Amino acid sequence: MWIHAFLTGRLQTVSVGGSQSQKAQVISGVPQGSVLGPLLFLIYMGDINEGVNGSNLSSFADDTSLSLPITSTEDVPNPQRDLNTVYAWASRNNMVFNEEKFEILRHGQHQEIKTETNLLTEGGHGISTLQTAKCLGIWEETAPFTNT
């Protein structure tokens, strides 16, 4: 009952340049800066990996990563399959991902596999491949391809 009271019946206003909006009901989320908010978010996200087969799904705060080794052309469809599982979870849980922040990093020597592995957002848009990406404040870089 206490958590229900914490999450319902809240109002918010927005202040800009000395002007303030009318009060509006908050229909989702938790109060920012609360101690209970991060705990509730972790509980909410607790089953995001159900049905993900083969990929490593990791989350920290509101950042989630999916990684999967692709060692042959037979593995190429697997990351998209697991992404689709996560998209279905999001839909069931009324969550929307910010597709503009989706990124792909490719590692390894199999250039033909790298070029065949293209992933799509839930909206059907291609996810950008990058040479470097920042995750939790740490930069990761793909090694340049060399044919030895």
Side-chain angles (χ1 to χ4, degrees):
M1 300 268 309
W2 182 77
I3 291 175
H4 182 268
F6 177 70
L7 296 174
T8 58
R10 293 179 292 123
L11 301 174
Q12 70 181 7
T13 61
V14 177
S15 298
V16 177
S19 298
Q20 191 168 12
S21 70
Q22 294 183 353
K23 291 180 181 179
Q25 184 177 9
V26 178
I27 59 171
S28 67
V30 295
Q32 291 212 324
S34 68
V35 174
L36 192 53
L39 175 63
L40 292 175
F41 185 74
L42 288 173
I43 293 168
Y44 181 74
M45 296 285 292
D47 64 345
I48 190 171
N49 63 340
E50 286 184 12
V52 172
N53 296 317
S55 292
N56 178 33
L57 191 139
S58 60
S59 295
F60 183 81
D62 62 349
D63 289 330
T64 300
S65 297
L66 194 72
S67 60
L68 178 69
I70 299 174
T71 58
S72 69
T73 55
E74 290 80 28
D75 295 336
V76 169
N78 297 343
Q80 187 66 56
R81 177 204 61 217
D82 287 342
L83 268 177
N84 292 342
T85 300
V86 173
Y87 297 151
W89 175 90
S91 179
R92 286 190 309 274
N93 288 278
N94 298 315
M95 181 178 280
V96 177
F97 292 110
N98 184 350
E99 295 180 351
E100 293 177 12
K101 292 186 174 185
F102 285 18
E103 302 167 337
I104 299 173
L105 285 179
R106 295 185 173 119
H107 301 279
Q109 297 295 317
H110 299 287
Q111 189 65 24
E112 68 283 354
I113 293 175
K114 288 182 184 181
T115 57
E116 291 178 25
T117 309
N118 296 305
L119 301 176
L120 302 175
T121 66
E122 186 176 22
H125 304 287
I127 300 174
S128 299
T129 300
L130 303 176
Q131 295 300 311
T132 61
K134 190 175 184 180
C135 182
L136 302 175
I138 299 172
W139 284 97
E140 183 174 357
E141 183 174 348
T142 62
F145 176 74
T146 56
N147 193 1
T148 56

